[in-house]
Amino acid sequence: MVTAVSAPGKVLLAGGYLVVDRDYTGLVFGLDARIHVHADELRTSSRVGLSEIIVRSPQFRAAEWRYGYRLTEDNGGVEVIQLAGYPVPNALCTQLGAGSTDYQAFCSHSSPSQPRNRFVETALAYTLTYISCHTSSNIKPASITIFADSDYYSRQGVPTSSINHGNRFIDFGVPLHKAHKTGLGSSAALVTAFVAAVLLHYLPVDTVVINTDAGKARVHNLAQSAHCHAQGKIGSGFDVAAAVYGSCIYRRFSPAVLEHLGELGSAGFAKRLLATVDDNSTPKLWDTQIRRSEIDIPKSLRLVMCDVDCGSETPGMVKKVFAWRTENLEEATLLWATLQKGNEDLASELRRLAAGRNTSAASYENLRDIILTIRSLVREMSDKAGVPIEPKVQTELIDACSELPGVVGGLVPGAGGFDAIAMLIEDSPETVDDLSRFLDDYKVTDEGQKAMIGKIRLLDVKQEMVGIKAEDVKLYNQWI
């Protein structure tokens, strides 16, 4: 079955660091920049039998990964093995006839070895393992293609000619490892869309229905499991939750939910994964809280992102903040409680404004004050922990943007640092154009800070309330 699925990016507008702890929540918005995954059978001549799954990302140079797969012993799941490029054996040349259609079909699936893509590889292995628990049919070869909306990556160095106006996807013109991410949650959106597309491709149509709560829960549980393993740690999971459910107030799951899984290939792994994903236990194993009804944004406002073409080492920053918290527990607990209150106030004020009929510049004053309070508390935590959560160069940029007409305020989302910044602005073409021009001309005045950020631009994204969804396969005809 040919399938196509997309999942949104994310911005953790408020709740950075706090969201790692179940005692606190995060205010996470989905973004309308999406990762798409298209899955189809791998078509070859009837005389050529290939037992492999090929994954491509055609917007990048030489981005192709070929995998073999096999069931392991003792119910250990499905192991996937990345295949290196291979020469065509002489015997096969003779059998097919060098230069024949069959020969070319075989050769078209041979490629040089690629660096491992741990997110693709892990998502594929976990999803095939889950599928093997639901069907006794052999897993047939497949062709899987990944697409990214253009704002997931900075465009610096991308030729203008490669940006095909009127077409959704652009050719980035570089290998994947040289592309600069803009911090919109590409790995979580990728794993989520990949898991869903492969499930829909292989399983009967009524097994996983992604527009139902039960279907979303299965995709969420499987994507969280795979994403955490690919990262090498059990993270908070807010990014996967946003990819599945869209915008929400998020409280993380207990790490114990996944601690028992063990390694893929270990005895009984497939059975443990099946039980974890389907979660038929009472009480439920997954204690995640996804509160979609408690998040909204007025139609008069728009959440936008500004790319600074840089990036931060998030794991190192989180480690330092939690080290400070451990050493200064009483002080940190008080500060985090105040931050949690500010985050709740922000969500509440956005809901209040969304429920109102009339809005004007004056009606946003309380929202501005809440944003400024949160920023002040974040800078206090930044100073105490010695971590650049809202560094000076970002403070100056947000302050300058906030002076523009129609701009309500901005925040450094998530773990902060030198990733993209989030701004709440009036949803009018004039405000968007003014902010875009301002950022195009913006110059960092502090010589010592210039190297911290690159070319600044307004990304063409906004908030997205919808999470994972099926797509029309015709959307990708130009690329497949």
Side-chain angles (χ1 to χ4, degrees):
M1 177 179 176
V2 183
T3 59
V5 175
S6 73
K10 55 72 189 171
V11 54
L12 182 60
L13 187 62
Y17 299 96
L18 278 68
V19 76
V20 178
D21 190 321
R22 264 188 61 78
D23 289 339
Y24 306 92
T25 60
L27 175 61
V28 54
F29 278 95
L31 297 172
D32 62 357
R34 288 178 167 264
I35 297 289
H36 303 245
V37 177
H38 176 282
D40 194 2
E41 64 181 83
L42 183 58
R43 293 181 174 85
T44 64
S45 166
S46 60
R47 295 172 64 188
V48 179
L50 298 175
S51 294
E52 63 180 349
I53 292 174
I54 299 178
V55 181
R56 300 183 179 92
S57 187
Q59 294 167 274
F60 300 96
R61 294 292 175 265
E64 179 178 294
W65 301 267
R66 296 173 43 250
Y67 298 101
Y69 50 91
R70 68 178 185 89
L71 276 170
T72 61
E73 298 177 350
D74 299 324
N75 201 27
V78 176
E79 178 187 23
V80 300
I81 304 156
Q82 184 169 341
L83 305 175
Y86 50 85
V88 182
N90 291 334
L92 189 57
C93 289
T94 302
Q95 176 186 344
L96 300 178
S100 69
T101 302
D102 287 345
Y103 177 89
Q104 294 299 327
F106 182 90
C107 290
S108 69
H109 299 301
S110 176
S111 65
S113 60
Q114 292 289 327
R116 287 183 65 187
N117 186 321
R118 66 185 186 278
F119 290 103
V120 166
E121 187 173 315
T122 305
L124 181 59
Y126 273 56
T127 308
L128 293 183
T129 295
Y130 180 80
I131 290 167
S132 72
C133 296
H134 275 277
T135 178
S136 58
S137 302
N138 290 331
I139 295 173
K140 296 181 179 180
S143 174
I144 301 172
T145 312
I146 301 166
F147 300 95
D149 284 342
S150 59
D151 284 305
Y152 274 99
Y153 298 90
S154 296
R155 297 183 190 176
Q156 190 168 359
V158 177
T160 303
S161 59
S162 72
I163 302 175
N164 302 316
H165 298 288
N167 296 319
R168 180 157 189 168
F169 309 109
I170 68 172
D171 182 350
F172 290 101
V174 297
L176 182 58
H177 69 274
K178 290 187 177 181
H180 292 181
K181 294 182 179 182
T182 54
L184 303 186
S186 58
S187 67
L190 165 62
V191 169
T192 301
F194 193 98
V195 163
V198 175
L199 287 176
L200 294 177
H201 176 68
Y202 282 112
L203 291 177
V205 292
D206 59 345
T207 305
V208 177
V209 183
I210 63 172
N211 62 352
T212 65
D213 288 343
K216 283 185 170 67
R218 285 188 178 183
V219 172
H220 170 270
N221 298 349
L222 183 52
Q224 290 283 19
S225 303
H227 193 250
C228 285
H229 184 81
Q231 285 185 312
K233 64 183 179 69
I234 301 175
S236 69
F238 78 87
D239 44 5
V240 170
V244 176
Y245 294 102
S247 302
C248 62
I249 303 290
Y250 176 78
R251 190 184 302 275
R252 69 158 303 155
F253 57 90
S254 299
V257 172
L258 296 179
E259 287 173 345
H260 73 290
L261 267 182
E263 291 295 318
L264 191 147
S266 62
F269 175 82
K271 183 178 180 180
R272 293 192 298 273
L273 181 65
L274 176 65
T276 300
V277 173
D278 286 353
D279 195 9
N280 294 320
S281 59
T282 304
K284 291 291 186 183
L285 180 66
W286 289 86
D287 50 6
T288 317
Q289 292 181 16
I290 309 287
R291 292 162 19 211
R292 285 172 285 174
S293 63
E294 295 183 26
I295 190 168
D296 205 350
I297 194 166
K299 289 182 172 58
S300 57
L301 288 182
R302 178 173 179 168
L303 176 62
V304 298
M305 304 294 292
C306 307
D307 174 34
V308 299
D309 192 24
C310 194
S312 302
E313 292 296 329
T314 300
M317 294 172 64
V318 172
K319 185 177 180 180
K320 290 181 70 174
V321 167
F322 274 81
W324 160 77
R325 185 190 182 207
T326 300
E327 295 169 3
N328 304 272
L329 187 57
E330 184 176 349
E331 177 184 45
T333 299
L334 179 61
L335 178 56
W336 279 28
T338 310
L339 257 174
Q340 175 70 17
K341 175 64 165 56
N343 298 342
E344 292 171 355
D345 289 345
L346 177 58
S348 178
E349 180 65 10
L350 287 171
R351 287 199 309 274
R352 186 189 70 81
L353 289 169
R357 293 184 178 180
N358 299 311
T359 54
S360 63
S363 64
Y364 302 133
E365 284 306 311
N366 192 41
L367 181 58
R368 287 191 179 93
D369 290 342
I370 292 170
I371 291 172
L372 289 172
T373 297
I374 292 173
R375 288 182 60 199
S376 176
L377 292 168
V378 166
R379 287 195 298 272
E380 182 180 348
M381 179 168 64
S382 182
D383 291 341
K384 291 180 182 298
V387 176
I389 303 172
E390 187 185 297
K392 180 182 176 183
V393 67
Q394 298 285 58
T395 297
E396 292 175 351
L397 175 59
I398 295 172
D399 287 347
C401 291
S402 298
E403 293 296 321
L404 298 175
V407 176
V408 178
L411 294 158
V412 284
F418 300 98
D419 284 331
I421 62 172
M423 306 293 300
L424 282 167
I425 67 173
E426 293 182 14
D427 191 13
S428 70
E430 295 78 15
T431 302
V432 173
D433 289 345
D434 288 348
L435 179 58
S436 182
R437 284 193 296 268
F438 176 81
L439 293 172
D440 286 343
D441 297 334
Y442 185 80
K443 297 290 188 290
V444 177
T445 56
D446 188 332
E447 290 294 329
Q449 298 285 319
K450 282 186 177 180
M452 298 297 181
I453 60 176
K455 173 65 177 175
I456 304 169
R457 70 181 177 98
L458 184 66
L459 299 177
D460 187 22
V461 299
K462 62 181 179 179
Q463 72 276 5
E464 170 73 275
M465 305 307 289
V466 177
I468 194 170
K469 64 179 181 180
E471 296 282 0
D472 186 344
V473 297
K474 296 177 182 177
L475 180 63
Y476 317 98
N477 284 349
Q478 182 179 344
W479 292 86
I480 296 177

